Amino acid sequence: MKIATWNVNSIRVRLPHVKDFVHVQSPDVLLLQELKAQDKDIPISDLEDLGYNVIYKGQKAYNGVAILSKHPIEDVNDKLYSNTENDEQARYIECWIDAKNSGFRIASIYLPNGNPINTEKFDYKIDWMNKLKKRSKQLLDNEECVILGGDFNVCPEDRDAANPENMRNDALFQPESRAKLREIINLGYYDAWRAINPDITEWSYWDYGRAFEQNKGLRIDHFLLSPIALDRLESIEINKYHRSLERPSDHAPVIINISD
DNA sequence: ATGGCTTTCTACGAAAGA
C-alpha cells in the first residue's frame, strides 16, 4: 500500500505534475494540500479520470485539501471527515479508507504557516494546532491504524533545516510550534521519517529561487503514524523528481509504503 | 534572512506563502 502527501501550491497550475506523478508512482492514496481553488475550480474529473475516488475541501484563493484513493472512501459525510472545530479555513480533511482487512483512517493536513511571529497569524497557528491535538487524541482512542499526513509547517528540530540560524524568528521554528507538534506526537504518534531514518535528514521543501539547486531546504511535510500504523510501516521516501522539473511546486511529495 | 519567487484575486499592486 503506497501513500503519498504533496503540497502542490495550486492544483490548477500543478495538474500536469500531479498526473505525471500518478503515472510514475501510482500511489494507492494521495493527500494533496494548498489546492488554492474553491470547490468549483478543483479539477475533480481530471483526478477521478486518474482512477481515484476524491474528497476535497476547497477555498477561494488559499488553502484547500484533498484525499485521492483507489480504494473505497467511507464516511463520505461532512460531519465525519471534517475536523469541525478547524473548519474556518480549508486545511483539514479526514476519512476512512476501506482496503479489505487492512483499512485505515487518514487525514490530509495543511497546517497554518503562522508568519510573522508576534501577530494574530502565529496565534492562529497555535490555536489550530491545539484543535489538531484534540482531534489527534480522539483518533487514538479506537486503537486504529491512523495516518496523519501533510504540510505541517513545523521543523521538528534544528537538524530539519539547512540553515537553522536563519530560521530563529520563523514561525516554523518557534519553540512553541515545536512543542505543540511534540505534544501531538507524544499522545502516541510516530514521525514516520524518524522511525526509519533516526540519523538522516532530507528536505521536503525548498524556497523558489536557488534553494533547490543549492539543496538548502526544510523538512516540514510529515507522516504521523499511530502505533498500529507504525507496525505496518515498510519504507519512506521524499521524491525530488518533480521538484526538479519546470514550474514545480516548492514542496516534494513524501511517500510511504505500509503493509496490506 | 527576505520575498530576491510563485500564485491568486471583483487583479495591473497586494497578500500570502515559509
Side-chain angles (χ1 to χ4, degrees):
Chain A
M1 178 78 59
K2 184 187 282 196
I3 302 169
T5 181
W6 195 6
N7 175 323
V8 292
N9 186 14
S10 169
I11 186 59
R12 285 173 287 183
V13 172
R14 226 64 65 200
L15 186 60
H17 278 202
V18 171
K19 286 181 175 177
D20 190 67
F21 177 75
V22 164
H23 288 135
V24 173
Q25 293 288 343
S26 200
D28 293 278
V29 177
L30 176 56
L31 311 177
L32 298 177
Q33 302 91 35
E34 222 178 343
L35 304 180
K36 284 188 165 176
Q38 54 196 314
D39 287 355
K40 70 180 180 65
D41 293 328
I42 299 172
I44 303 303
S45 57
D46 291 271
L47 301 174
E48 289 175 340
D49 288 347
L50 294 170
Y52 291 99
N53 302 300
V54 182
I55 60 172
Y56 54 93
K57 215 187 291 185
Q59 183 182 330
K60 189 173 194 143
Y62 305 116
N63 309 317
V65 287
I67 298 175
L68 283 57
S69 173
K70 291 184 174 178
H71 306 278
I73 294 176
E74 292 188 357
D75 303 349
V76 182
N77 173 318
D78 230 77
K79 288 196 170 91
L80 289 172
Y81 67 69
S82 294
N83 183 357
T84 52
E85 295 198 37
N86 268 340
D87 254 1
E88 62 285 343
Q89 295 185 11
R91 296 178 173 276
Y92 186 96
I93 192 167
E94 175 200 310
C95 68
W96 178 265
I97 304 281
D98 186 15
K100 35 173 169 172
N101 304 330
S102 59
F104 49 91
R105 183 156 289 276
I106 192 161
S108 178
I109 291 169
Y110 178 44
L111 210 144
N113 172 304
N115 277 306
I117 59 173
N118 300 317
T119 68
E120 70 287 345
K121 292 197 162 193
F122 188 73
D123 294 339
Y124 183 79
K125 178 186 189 121
I126 299 301
D127 286 347
W128 202 96
M129 293 185 81
N130 278 322
K131 290 168 181 169
L132 177 63
K133 179 184 174 186
K134 185 175 175 185
R135 181 61 180 157
S136 303
K137 183 171 165 55
Q138 289 172 349
L139 293 178
L140 290 175
D141 287 346
N142 299 328
E143 299 192 16
E144 293 172 343
C145 183
V146 180
I147 299 171
L148 308 178
D151 175 2
F152 282 73
N153 268 321
V154 178
C155 290
E157 302 175 82
D158 276 12
R159 60 178 171 156
D160 295 309
N163 292 309
E165 297 317 317
N166 291 348
M167 296 288 293
R168 291 296 168 206
N169 294 321
D170 196 292
L172 284 63
F173 230 65
Q174 291 310 293
E176 200 177 356
S177 309
R178 287 179 173 175
K180 201 57 67 180
L181 179 61
R182 266 199 316 277
E183 286 174 25
I184 293 170
I185 290 172
N186 287 341
L187 294 170
Y189 288 92
Y190 296 84
D191 175 344
W193 179 267
R194 283 291 164 229
I196 299 267
N197 300 300
D199 301 317
I200 299 168
T201 291
E202 293 182 13
W203 319 131
S204 67
Y205 161 89
W206 301 257
D207 199 358
Y208 287 121
R210 295 207 182 85
F212 186 70
E213 63 192 59
Q214 296 173 344
N215 197 25
K216 293 185 184 305
L218 309 171
R219 191 176 75 89
I220 54 176
D221 298 271
H222 308 303
F223 275 108
L224 302 188
L225 307 181
S226 72
I228 290 171
L230 181 73
D231 290 342
R232 290 171 63 176
L233 180 64
E234 295 176 336
S235 64
I236 185 164
E237 168 200 359
I238 303 175
N239 192 290
K240 301 179 187 64
Y241 172 66
H242 289 87
R243 184 64 182 80
S244 73
L245 301 181
E246 291 296 311
R247 230 173 161 200
S249 168
D250 40 3
H251 294 251
V254 183
I255 307 168
I256 58 171
N257 273 285
I258 65 170
S259 61
D260 291 333

